[in-house]
Amino acid sequence: MICLTTTGGSPEEAIDSVRSNRQWIDLFELRLDRWELLEESALRRAAELLRTLEPRIPFVLTLRRSVDGGGYAGPEEERQERLRQALLLLSPDWIDLEDEVLETAGGLTLFEEAKRREVAVIRSVHDFGGTPEDLGERLERLEAAPGDVAKYAVTTGGTADLLLLHAAAEEARRRDPAGSRILLGMGTLGTVSRLLPGAFGSLWSYASPPGERLGAPGQLTPRELVERFAFREAAAGAPLFAVLGNPVLHSGSPAYHNRRFREEHLEAAYLAFPADDIEATMELFDRLALRGVSVTIPHKEAVLAYLDEREPSVEALGAANTLTRTGAQRWRGTNTDVPGFLAPLREERTELSGSRALVIGAGGAARAVVYALFEEGTEVTIANRTVSRGEALLRSLGVRGRVLGLDAAPLREEQFDLIVQTTSVGMDGESEPVPHLPISGESVVYDIIYTPPETPLILRARAAGATVITGDRMFRAQAAEQFSLFRPLAGESPKPL
Ligand code: NAP
């Protein structure tokens, strides 16, 4: 289930955000601590507004203290008095009360009041310091204390913390399969616990309305969860796929693959998996039974150690951008950057064999480009800011070619049949790595950058009458190659690994 955390500064704004997100949510958390004026009159207005929500949507009542990441910084007695009034006036389904507060006389009185009104109590802990090693034991203690739902939110400082969270969830499930709990990892590296709440033993995932004032670190919008990250399909137990990287939440891959899965009526969910530690990540992939993974910066090289089968380009490049599962802890590595780079050139009927190409850049993407061009019999010149990096690239691929600095004289004079731009220069929409490079109408100019869709180099090439290829075409072609590898692994109910 998806729970919208309201962030509005007034009852009106809060209920408006519920209304505009209602198609994606199952419940909401009314966050009184976000209101600018928390008075009895505001609570009465909220009660009126809640009555206009038809059909009714269940909700959690929360007035979070600033020490727990909320916006309430006033006296504790007043907070508890407001919560008591809100219980009376708003009739929530749940009230969120902090574990520590429930140990006090005031907290106990609130607890009893909630019970009298048949409001379920979420007993919560928020740890902004990290993920404690003994999380399993702490959760057990929390669950043993009075309350209906145990909520433990920890800060995920690294992927190893996510493993701890998952282990605590599994332990709790074994101890009490019927127990109601919410376990989540705050921060970007905890995203997977928000995309797959069921796998982490949680009743629901919290999401925030679009906008700047996000409810908590790492929260996504309800629409993103449902549309970009296939939350409903994942919750229904569909086979799982993901893009692994860091950072990776901006990646276009989830939107692409989930759209393709839906178009082809295949049961599957494709997530974003931000991670910093490859060993912990590979273990999580097994625990969560992921079937296919797209790999991006900075993990393309590190995944090699976990592959049981590698296709020749993976071997030659020392990098894989696609993993497909062949068994428990068994993966095949593929590199779809190579066919993805070549596909638009084939569409444009570009003659590669025997032609002269200039590759600008010598980073990770350039490796796949240079490898692909050599395989096609193209004569390659590399131009890179750091010449030694270009030379190392050629050496590691075991091929011969020319390497120039970006200011070298030949780049002012020579004509190339194909110019491939692989540096990040141009992402600002303003700069070019080699602004003095001559471009003729006979050249093919290929910039692999896909944001912005048209770089200054592409605009200049188009003005010169050259054939242009933009980076989105490579992105889509490599994603389509990946999809053809993922397709046979989707659509059936998950098998035990
Ligand atoms: P990378 O490994 O970090 O390499 C970056 C390259 O850019 C290096 O050659 C670097 O030169 C050069 N560079 C960076 N800043 C520079 C500057 N200020 N002046 C001159 N050169 C500069 O990155 P990557 O993985 O190869 O990715 C590069 C670009 O390709 C990114 O924009 C990425 O989004 C894009 N890409 C697109 C696709 C697609 O499907 N369309 C696929 C992969 C990558 P030095 O060696 O001198 O540092």
Side-chain angles (χ1 to χ4, degrees), residues 297 361-365 384-386 389 422-423 425 427 448 450 471 475:
I297 298 169
N384 197 41
R385 180 176 60 179
T386 315
R389 201 171 171 200
T422 74
T423 75
V425 183
M427 291 184 78
I448 73 162
Y450 55 92
F475 177 79

Side-chain angles (χ1 to χ4, degrees), residues 161-202:
D161 287 347
L162 209 52
L163 262 183
L164 274 176
L165 192 69
H166 189 263
E170 289 289 285
E171 202 181 301
R173 209 193 321 256
R174 278 194 295 274
R175 189 174 58 236
D176 178 9
S180 294
R181 54 188 76 93
I182 298 167
L183 274 176
L184 65 94
M186 297 183 285
T188 306
L189 293 171
T191 301
V192 178
S193 69
R194 297 184 183 276
L195 300 179
L196 296 174
F200 287 81
S202 294

